[in-house]
Amino acid sequence: MKPAAFTYHRAYDVNDTIAQLAELGQDAKILAGGQSLVAMMNFRLARPSALVDITRIAGLDYLERDAQGLRVGALTRHRTVETAKIDGFGVLSKAARWIGHYPIRCRGTFGGSIAHGDSTAEWCVLAVLLEARIVLQGPRGRREVPATEFFQGFFMTAAQPDEMIVEVRFPKPAPHAALTEYSQRQGDFAIVAASARLDLTEDEVLTSRVVLGGVGQQPVVVDADLAGQPANEETWRAAGEVAAAQVDPPSDGHGSSAYRKKLTAALVARALAEAAA
Amino acid sequence: MTAIGERLPRKEDSRLLRGLGRFCDDQDRAGQVWMRVVRSPIAHGRLVSVRKPGNAASGSVVTAEDLPPGVRIPVRLNVQGIDLTDHLQPVLAAGEVRYVGEPVAVVIADDPYEAEDIAERVEVEIDELPVTVDTAAGTLAAEFELGYGDVASAFAQAAHVVGIEFDIGRHSAVPLEPRALLADVDPATGALQIFGMTKVPVFNRDVLAGMLGIDEHLIHVHAMDTGGGFGVRGEFYPEDFLVGWLARKLRRPVKWVEDRAEHLVAVNHSRQQHHVISAAFDENGTLLGLKDDVLHDNGAYARTHGIIVPELTLAMLPGPYRVPAFHGRIRVMLTNKTPCGTYRAPGRFEGTSVREQLFDVAADRMGVDRVELRRRNLLTADELPHTRAMSTLGTDVVLDSGDYVGLLDKAVVEADRLGYQSQLESLRARGHTAGLGVAVFLEKSGLGPQETADVVVGTSGEVRVHSGGTSLGQGIETVLAQVTADALTVDPAVVTVVNGDTVLQPFGGGSWASRSTVVGGSAVHKAALAVRERAIQLAARMLEVSEDDLDVTAGAIGVKGAPGTSVSYAEVAKAARPGSPHLRDDEPAGLSARRRFEVEHMTYPYGVHFALVDVDTGTGHVKVLRYLVAYEVGRAINPTLVEGQLLGGVAQGVGGALLEEFRYDDAGQPQAVTFMDYRMPTAAELPHVDILVAQDAPAPGNPLGVKGAGEGGVTAAGASIAGAIRDALSLTGPVGRLPMTAERVRGLIEEGT
């Protein structure tokens, strides 16, 4: 459980990072907190030839609420999000509590988690739910990729090896949104994560969006429009059943496909109920 | 004044909490090399070749060909006269590999990173052979029966016969500190200093000496701190031979530190059994007979524990009950999985889970209350001692003392007082799927045949104890200091206990089987009393009075009824030095004694567990809300440490009941090789544990009256949690297996039975 040989480099600003990545080639990886990458290196599941440590870059740790929504700097720690009070984005702070354990939340970064692209990761699921845009910078300049297009498969994203994530933009507030998930132990990766966003009146759903983690290679958008339905437990329960019927989750040591479908039904209903509350 | 029974803070903690503990991986020696084990990636196959990488230094890769021919790890405990020679594990695989993780070669390098890099490039060519994962399809290594009475007629005349099948999952101990070994060698003599063999150091020393063909006095195993043992750590494994052998061959210190990924495939697994058990009752629910047919999965080889887990499973199965006739058969099967050994409460966790679940099913079926059925069938105090015509660990099964019914009643009252029943009712009233489980169990402890201790008083008055136990984190240093302080009437603060150093204590039996306080403590007690007698003898000469006129109080030996006329242990120790006028020609110098405590029978503690659980019917999640352990310990030398032992046991029991399992795929590939997949409970998964330590039934077989406390926290955790889940889901049949993972519970909710 010791990593294969690699070289270590430190970057002091974004341009420096881009330059170093270009020089070190495509086997180099960015180190942005290391809470997933370092463990994978110790198991030799990841073997980067070089690490470019960006955690000393100043000014990338921010949560900025503006008229357009929320901008999250790539180096914002999970713990910062957890403890922040962000008008209209309470779902982010609440969901942060599902991320690993306290030390992990103190070191792991928002951009790092998005770049890692784990389909059960809270930020990945919520980025898709809230239709965030991922801001990338590379030798060809800046570009924005919608989260719905960013996650492309099992730990695969739209980011090129020579690009770095600098920011994640959430376009509009989501006062009625929630994420819930299940694992047998607190802090483990979710077996299934379910998130929901609603617009609703007192008693009726206006729009809805449900996104799942742990049921496919990337976050999965459930095809269910609850518009016009009563905002009640029966609606949420039925939506859970609809979601479960749509997914074809993988089986692994943490849960069979059939169990993940049952979890999907239960968790979607709970996420919707919490979002509506 | 006595130090026994005091809640003394642990003497170990002042160093451990300040980071001043001395663990094996803290040790380094000039010129040392690092060993890395190359392990089989294949579950079963013919080992064709092991090729070292082109650029590796010569001699840096060692295979079976380089070792003395045919070296295998011997069984430590031979029982039931069964010969396991054909099934012993070789130090390095030769010809065939039989499980993923089996050592096939070792790499030597100057640092651990380099060793791991080279190990990764060693090419192991294996022709794959058919893999056996299913226990029933394995190779039969041993089969035996234990029992007594006429079981056939018991079942023939029964009014009720209730049977269940039950599987216990493969899980094991995962101590905080993985294994670690350092062997230093004296180039002139070849003598070895070994660090990190912490459990049965004298036994391991002797095995290593035998395998190396040298006298045991050429090996000095040092006492070390250890981050937990629980049965698996400190047994003799292939690496224990390899470090010593390599150090002598290379004439350099050799260090090996197991990493967690290795640990999970290399260290003894445990527990995996399939039971077909049934009980015969008369029309009043009185037990007439019990029978169990067990398939035991021992993995690829027989290791140091041989077949003691299967033996204990059967021998302890009748538990604390009046079982007029019992028959158990067990078949020990070899499969292409990690070999097995003992894990805290070996055989008892398994047997208790199965028996108590059977009694729950039987109680429902006969329409008798679960607690009442148990109360009716428990042996009563006046039926003890109770002999069962079986042997285990080479001893006869004689349940020595106790009041099983009394403790059950106490536990019921305590659970009520703490509001278990009312909380259950209120949860159910609020629509929760909650349940309460109760399990009664018998433990065993204090295995002999002997333990030896030395007590030495220094000229400053400090007392040193050289015990044959080992410090695995259980607090044995504190306990033995209290025992010593009690006998000498000194403050425990002046007592220093050294455990597990084979030079200081060459006749130690080690710490396992809940034996240290019982057997080791009794030896220390005897040695300390001998020192006290010797001090009185010398003090009589110093004070020129008769020994009969002296007594010992608060660490001073003085004339009865004449305050001020006394000498201290320090003064006596000075008077015992060579050249002292008080020392006679034929007497050895020094104020010290070595004593041996021998015992033929074990002492049997017992207990009751209650578990209150809440099941989430959507996810299948089982939350253990409350947990009560009531445990009879005979006499608690240090109640806080007894409680600590029980608490830790519950944590491991919750793991075995709900979370932990070493699963394999069809190709024999282990599926739980990280802490992501091998799910030990964390603080978040554990309830507050209520503990009731009873001291109502002192052990008659040792001078302290103590019964072992090491295992009773885990023994019935599987049973009580399984019972609670069954109660919550209102099942008519058994839950069927452990661990009851959320997925399995969710499945039961769907299917029901």
Side-chain angles (χ1 to χ4, degrees):
Chain A
M1 288 181 66
K2 301 196 183 322
F6 62 92
T7 58
Y8 173 86
H9 309 266
R10 184 173 292 167
Y12 291 93
D13 61 38
V14 173
N15 288 334
D16 182 22
T17 309
I18 308 298
Q20 292 203 39
L21 286 174
E23 188 184 321
L24 294 164
Q26 61 174 6
D27 289 338
K29 290 280 273 184
I30 290 174
L31 180 67
Q35 297 306 294
S36 301
L37 178 60
V38 171
M40 289 175 76
M41 289 171 66
N42 284 342
F43 280 111
R44 301 195 172 200
L45 295 171
R47 293 167 170 265
S49 59
L51 289 183
V52 180
D53 183 351
I54 62 169
T55 55
R56 309 291 173 101
I57 297 178
L60 276 183
D61 178 356
Y62 58 82
L63 293 162
E64 282 181 17
R65 183 75 167 83
D66 59 25
Q68 278 74 50
L70 176 71
R71 299 188 300 128
V72 181
L75 288 178
T76 307
R77 309 280 170 176
H78 308 317
R79 178 68 182 161
T80 307
V81 182
E82 185 184 354
T83 53
K85 301 229 181 313
I86 322 164
D87 181 36
F89 290 93
V91 61
L92 293 178
S93 304
K94 222 169 161 192
R97 303 217 308 256
W98 289 103
I99 302 174
H101 303 278
Y102 176 78
I104 291 174
R105 296 200 290 276
C106 290
R107 303 201 73 138
T109 59
F110 204 101
S113 175
I114 295 285
H116 188 54
D118 186 322
S119 91
T120 67
E122 292 73 13
W123 297 153
C124 298
V125 171
L126 286 178
V128 174
L129 179 79
L130 304 181
E131 296 166 275
R133 301 176 70 81
I134 317 300
V135 183
L136 295 158
Q137 192 161 331
R140 296 164 299 282
R142 265 192 181 226
R143 63 184 180 120
E144 279 190 29
V145 182
T148 46
E149 294 163 24
F150 184 77
F151 303 107
Q152 300 187 335
F154 193 61
F155 294 115
M156 302 233 304
T157 70
Q160 296 300 310
D162 57 0
E163 289 180 308
M164 81 171 266
I165 294 171
V166 291
E167 187 178 272
V168 178
R169 291 186 177 166
F170 290 90
K172 67 173 189 153
H176 293 288
L179 177 141
T180 190
E181 59 186 56
Y182 182 67
S183 59
Q184 267 198 282
R185 294 184 304 182
Q186 184 173 318
D188 277 357
F189 291 101
I191 303 172
V192 171
S195 65
R197 189 191 73 195
L198 294 169
D199 290 313
L200 71 175
T201 65
E202 278 287 278
D203 45 25
E204 193 185 282
V205 177
L206 299 175
T207 68
S208 69
R209 183 172 169 86
V210 172
V211 174
L212 302 170
V215 298
Q217 300 203 338
Q218 65 244 40
V220 169
V221 183
V222 175
D223 183 12
D225 184 1
L226 305 180
Q229 297 199 32
N232 64 22
E233 288 298 325
E234 180 47 36
T235 299
W236 317 143
R237 197 200 56 75
E241 296 298 335
V242 167
Q246 276 178 28
V247 295
D248 182 19
S251 286
D252 63 25
H254 296 274
S256 66
S257 181
Y259 179 53
R260 282 189 156 94
K261 285 170 89 82
K262 290 176 197 167
L263 284 179
T264 299
L267 295 173
V268 164
R270 289 174 193 183
L272 283 164
E274 194 185 325
Chain B
M1 186 206 86
T2 172
I4 289 183
E6 293 294 312
R7 290 180 177 273
L8 194 71
R10 301 202 325 164
K11 292 177 76 73
E12 296 88 334
D13 287 346
S14 85
R15 66 172 189 275
L16 294 176
L17 298 180
R18 288 184 296 152
L20 300 176
R22 187 165 166 266
F23 295 86
C24 182
D25 197 13
D26 299 328
Q27 313 296 306
D28 288 296
R29 287 292 177 278
Q32 77 188 9
V33 290
W34 286 78
M35 180 175 97
R36 173 82 188 173
V37 180
V38 180
R39 299 179 184 278
S40 174
I42 301 292
H44 190 204
R46 199 171 60 79
L47 184 57
V48 180
S49 67
V50 180
R51 275 193 303 277
K52 70 176 179 196
N55 57 350
S58 93
S60 64
V61 179
V62 172
T63 68
E65 286 177 18
D66 304 304
L67 298 180
V71 280
R72 286 166 172 249
I73 310 296
V75 172
R76 176 158 73 88
L77 292 152
N78 275 300
V79 293
Q80 303 294 337
I82 289 172
D83 180 13
L84 296 164
T85 309
D86 292 344
H87 307 298
L88 300 180
Q89 177 162 5
V91 169
L92 292 173
E96 203 170 312
V97 292
R98 291 186 169 86
Y99 66 95
V100 172
E102 179 167 4
V104 295
V106 290
V107 165
I108 302 301
D110 288 331
D111 78 69
Y113 287 82
E114 192 191 344
E116 194 162 334
D117 287 345
I118 298 170
E120 194 182 49
R121 298 200 310 274
V122 171
E123 289 174 43
V124 180
E125 191 185 341
I126 295 169
D127 279 349
E128 294 190 34
L129 292 167
V131 171
T132 307
V133 175
D134 178 31
T135 308
T139 305
L140 184 70
E143 175 175 355
F144 58 95
E145 298 173 27
L146 286 181
Y148 55 85
D150 189 346
V151 174
S153 91
F155 277 79
Q157 61 182 263
H160 306 276
V161 170
V162 183
I164 62 167
E165 294 195 27
F166 205 97
D167 280 288
I168 308 290
R170 172 178 276 253
H171 65 283
S172 195
V174 184
L176 188 59
E177 181 198 14
R179 292 181 292 150
L181 293 161
L182 170 63
D184 198 357
V185 63
D186 176 359
T189 62
L192 291 169
Q193 313 267 334
I194 309 254
F195 301 84
M197 279 181 182
T198 306
K199 176 180 178 179
V200 284
V202 171
F203 178 84
N204 285 10
R205 176 200 67 175
D206 292 352
V207 168
L208 181 59
M211 291 173 80
L212 294 172
I214 61 175
D215 189 79
E216 72 270 18
H217 294 104
L218 279 174
I219 300 173
H220 179 182
V221 177
H222 289 259
M224 302 297 297
D225 284 315
T226 300
F230 313 113
V232 301
R233 198 181 189 287
E235 286 294 321
F236 200 93
Y237 288 91
E239 295 87 355
D240 292 73
F241 172 79
L242 286 163
V243 290
W245 181 79
L246 277 166
R248 280 169 57 87
K249 183 177 147 77
L250 302 171
R251 290 293 199 238
R252 288 177 74 178
V254 176
K255 182 169 178 179
W256 171 71
V257 177
E258 180 180 60
D259 67 34
R260 189 60 71 185
E262 287 184 284
H263 179 91
L264 293 174
V265 298
V267 86
N268 288 341
H269 288 181
S270 201
R271 306 268 203 250
Q272 190 177 7
Q273 292 182 342
H274 176 75
H275 288 248
V276 181
I277 186 170
S278 51
F281 296 91
D282 72 8
E283 63 282 1
N284 301 317
T286 302
L287 257 174
L288 300 174
L290 187 62
K291 61 183 178 186
D292 193 8
D293 192 5
V294 189
L295 266 184
H296 174 93
D297 191 321
N298 208 65
Y301 295 101
R303 280 186 173 170
T304 49
H305 293 115
I307 54 160
I308 68 166
V309 178
E311 189 204 47
L312 281 165
T313 303
L314 294 185
M316 294 295 289
L317 200 99
Y321 298 99
R322 189 185 309 103
V323 183
F326 169 66
H327 178 262
R329 173 177 78 138
I330 196 156
R331 284 167 287 163
V332 181
M333 311 301 285
L334 299 185
T335 55
N336 294 117
K337 293 180 273 192
T338 296
C340 293
T342 64
Y343 168 32
R344 204 173 196 178
R348 283 95 73 197
F349 177 89
E350 299 89 318
T352 302
S353 298
V354 173
R355 182 193 66 232
E356 294 297 298
Q357 184 80 175
L358 171 71
F359 285 4
D360 281 351
V361 173
D364 288 353
R365 215 158 284 173
M366 294 187 290
V368 182
D369 174 73
R370 290 177 296 174
V371 173
E372 178 52 30
L373 179 71
R374 288 173 168 88
R375 193 180 281 123
R376 216 172 274 180
N377 287 292
L378 285 168
L379 289 160
T380 58
D382 52 16
E383 287 174 283
L384 301 185
H386 175 76
T387 303
R388 289 186 174 137
M390 297 189 284
S391 81
T392 190
L393 302 172
T395 68
D396 295 332
V397 179
V398 183
L399 313 188
D400 50 342
S401 69
D403 182 358
Y404 305 154
V405 181
L407 187 67
L408 175 59
D409 289 340
K410 261 192 175 179
V412 169
V413 168
E414 180 70 355
D416 248 16
R417 186 185 74 79
L418 295 168
Y420 279 50
Q421 191 64 41
S422 56
Q423 189 173 350
L424 174 70
E425 282 155 18
S426 103
L427 283 165
R428 285 181 172 166
R430 285 182 282 135
H432 285 249
T433 306
L436 186 63
V438 56
V440 188
F441 67 99
L442 181 73
E443 255 301 330
K444 50 133 246 26
S445 67
L447 180 67
Q450 70 91 33
E451 191 55 82
T452 303
D454 289 38
V455 171
V456 183
V457 180
T459 51
S460 71
E462 287 224 339
V463 182
R464 293 186 78 82
V465 177
H466 301 149
S467 152
T470 48
S471 279
L472 301 155
Q474 74 277 53
I476 190 65
E477 291 172 43
T478 305
V479 165
L480 296 181
Q482 287 177 261
V483 169
T484 307
D486 172 71
L488 296 176
T489 74
V490 298
D491 186 336
V494 306
V495 183
T496 300
V497 178
V498 179
N499 281 301
D501 182 301
T502 59
V503 169
L504 294 175
Q505 186 43 266
F507 305 110
S511 281
W512 49 286
S514 292
R515 71 188 296 281
S516 306
T517 302
V518 181
V519 189
S522 295
V524 168
H525 175 74
K526 283 181 76 175
L529 285 181
V531 165
R532 174 180 160 138
E533 287 312 303
R534 174 68 173 152
I536 289 173
Q537 191 181 50
L538 289 166
R541 294 176 200 165
M542 293 162 74
L543 297 168
E544 297 181 333
V545 296
S546 154
E547 287 175 34
D548 296 339
D549 295 332
L550 293 175
D551 65 3
V552 186
T553 35
I557 303 104
V559 178
K560 288 174 194 165
T565 319
S566 69
V567 289
S568 67
Y569 280 110
E571 289 165 318
V572 176
K574 283 176 193 148
R577 285 188 294 199
S580 161
H582 304 296
L583 200 61
R584 292 181 183 153
D585 286 351
D586 58 347
E587 289 177 340
L591 180 56
S592 67
R594 168 173 291 176
R595 287 295 181 273
R596 189 171 72 253
F597 175 71
E598 292 190 340
V599 64
E600 279 183 21
H601 294 297
M602 293 192 285
T603 179
Y604 293 80
Y606 50 91
V608 180
H609 285 199
F610 278 88
L612 179 63
V613 305
D614 190 6
V615 179
D616 178 338
T617 53
T619 60
H621 186 73
V622 176
K623 183 157 182 60
V624 183
L625 297 172
R626 307 195 69 177
Y627 205 96
L628 169 69
V629 179
Y631 189 67
E632 171 61 50
V633 77
R635 189 180 185 198
I637 306 286
N638 185 325
T640 303
L641 295 187
V642 173
E643 290 161 6
Q645 287 290 301
L646 295 171
L647 178 57
V650 170
Q652 289 176 312
V654 168
L658 297 175
L659 294 161
E660 297 174 39
E661 188 169 23
F662 290 114
R663 288 166 289 103
Y664 286 80
D665 71 7
D666 292 342
Q669 288 296 328
Q671 303 296 295
V673 293
T674 71
F675 278 162
M676 218 170 80
D677 307 298
Y678 190 75
R679 295 185 287 262
M680 301 175 68
T682 70
E685 281 71 51
L686 294 171
H688 171 76
V689 178
D690 299 306
I691 296 173
L692 188 164
V693 174
Q695 305 185 54
D696 298 331
N702 68 72
L704 299 168
V706 292
K707 297 177 173 176
E711 301 170 89
V714 70
T715 314
S720 66
I721 292 170
I725 294 169
R726 187 179 170 277
D727 185 45
L729 304 184
S730 302
L731 302 179
T732 53
V735 298
R737 68 168 303 153
L738 295 177
M740 286 304 294
T741 60
E743 176 166 2
R744 288 184 185 132
V745 173
R746 188 65 182 79
L748 277 181
I749 291 165
E750 206 98 321
E751 302 151 18
T753 41

